[in-house]
Amino acid sequence: MTSVTAAKDRRSAAAESERLFRIGLARAFGGAIIFSLPIFMTMEMWYLGFYMDRLRLALMLAAGVPLLVGLSHYVGFEDTFNWREDLIDAFVAYAVGFAAAGTVLLCFGVIGPDMTADEIVGKVSLQALAGAIGALLAQNQFGQSVNDAEPPGQRVKGYFAELFIMAVGATFLAFNVAPTEEMIVISFQMTVWHTLALVLLSLLMMHGFVYALRFQGQEEHRPEDAPGWSLFLRYTVAGYAVCLVMSLYVLWSFGRLDGMGVRSAVMAAMVLCFPASVGAAAARLIL
């Protein structure tokens, strides 16, 4: 009788685990669409999927794997206990991102049977990364962890963990606006003084979002006994540097820096760094 009861318990636990995984997948699919809807409806993204350099596209997809693995570790759509499970979750999120992008683009008529396989794969692949990030963020925003004692978002602990989360937020928001022509137009019409003012505004917003302002539901991020200048250098300035690196990478991937001089490239990166810094600050608040 004991073995029969144990077998029933194992089957029941397996069934419950499968049910929770299906719920997580459904939530992930919804999150992929909600978080990626702006780029699904951005015309420049459609064109980029057609003519973007395939090596850069492949590199972007490959670089997304460690990003998704880390995000799964901190805020995945189900509890994970080792890096192998995080890697599996990352590829599941990618699969959901591809499925969401393909479904939405097909419904919009952006892809169709009259197109070549290269064009269809390019358009869907370009939008899959943002969808995968949205799939993983869905648990943190719309669901609850299986382990109520430690919700996924509360696993973000430590200095490098916070820098990583800022990198994710910066990448996600930069990814949404980098393809637009307005980013380059703004950079060309700005002077050096405009750029310096924008950098200062970005730093103030990043610092103010987390430490000065008190948003409802915000956790206390200030380390005990840390002076203000130390927090500014270690988190705000370091976070801005992360945003700048991610902005340069996204612009390079999309071919936005091709043919530009150093000054023009830096100006474009500074412009993109503004929304990226907002994304980084917001990520620290909501994750």
Side-chain angles (χ1 to χ4, degrees):
M1 292 296 294
T2 303
S3 60
V4 173
T5 302
K8 288 183 178 180
D9 290 341
R10 286 195 296 269
R11 287 196 298 268
S12 177
E16 178 66 11
S17 178
E18 184 178 349
R19 184 185 71 85
L20 291 174
F21 184 74
R22 288 198 301 268
I23 293 175
L25 279 180
R27 186 182 294 127
F29 188 83
I33 293 179
I34 291 174
F35 282 89
S36 304
L37 199 56
I39 64 170
F40 286 160
M41 306 181 73
T42 301
M43 185 170 57
E44 288 88 349
M45 287 292 286
W46 308 341
Y47 294 149
L48 273 171
F50 176 69
Y51 66 76
M52 182 178 176
D53 181 80
R54 291 307 186 243
L55 181 58
R56 297 188 189 186
L57 177 57
L59 182 60
M60 176 177 286
L61 292 175
V65 173
L67 191 75
L68 294 173
V69 169
L71 193 58
S72 171
H73 180 70
Y74 293 118
V75 291
F77 58 81
E78 66 169 354
D79 286 339
T80 56
F81 302 98
N82 54 59
W83 289 106
R84 179 177 175 273
E85 293 184 1
D86 290 323
L87 183 62
I88 294 174
D89 264 12
F91 282 107
V92 170
Y94 247 143
V96 172
F98 273 99
T103 300
V104 174
L105 294 182
L106 183 63
C107 291
F108 286 168
V110 177
I111 59 175
D114 58 325
M115 297 179 181
T116 64
D118 179 74
E119 183 177 355
I120 293 175
V121 171
K123 289 181 176 180
V124 174
S125 299
L126 182 59
Q127 313 220 24
L129 178 57
I133 294 176
L136 289 173
L137 291 177
Q139 169 64 34
N140 185 267
Q141 294 303 304
F142 308 135
Q144 292 182 337
S145 171
V146 176
N147 180 8
D148 293 333
E150 188 180 33
Q154 292 185 8
R155 298 201 295 261
V156 183
K157 298 175 182 178
Y159 178 68
F160 290 104
E162 293 216 29
L163 288 183
F164 173 79
I165 291 301
M166 284 193 279
V168 172
T171 302
F172 184 79
L173 208 52
F175 200 86
N176 276 263
V177 297
T180 62
E181 193 66 30
E182 288 79 4
M183 297 300 301
I184 305 301
V185 172
I186 292 172
S187 68
F188 277 119
Q189 69 185 16
M190 290 175 60
T191 66
V192 174
W193 293 109
H194 288 126
T195 305
L196 292 176
L198 188 62
V199 171
L200 179 60
L201 179 60
S202 300
L203 290 171
L204 289 176
M205 288 186 63
M206 289 186 70
H207 197 71
F209 262 49
V210 179
Y211 296 113
L213 303 180
R214 288 293 179 263
F215 288 86
Q216 183 177 1
Q218 177 185 344
E219 296 180 11
E220 182 59 53
H221 290 269
R222 175 186 285 271
E224 293 183 5
D225 303 325
W229 63 266
S230 176
L231 295 174
F232 183 77
L233 290 177
R234 291 170 54 218
Y235 289 93
T236 305
V237 175
Y240 185 82
V242 169
C243 294
L244 187 58
V245 171
M246 302 310 297
S247 297
L248 283 168
Y249 176 71
V250 171
L251 288 171
W252 174 81
S253 297
F254 289 161
R256 291 297 191 178
L257 302 182
D258 294 353
M260 280 190 178
V262 175
R263 181 181 181 277
S264 298
V266 171
M267 294 283 280
M270 293 294 188
V271 172
L272 184 57
C273 200
F274 177 63
S277 63
V278 174
R284 293 192 64 206
L285 289 174
I286 65 177
L287 297 182

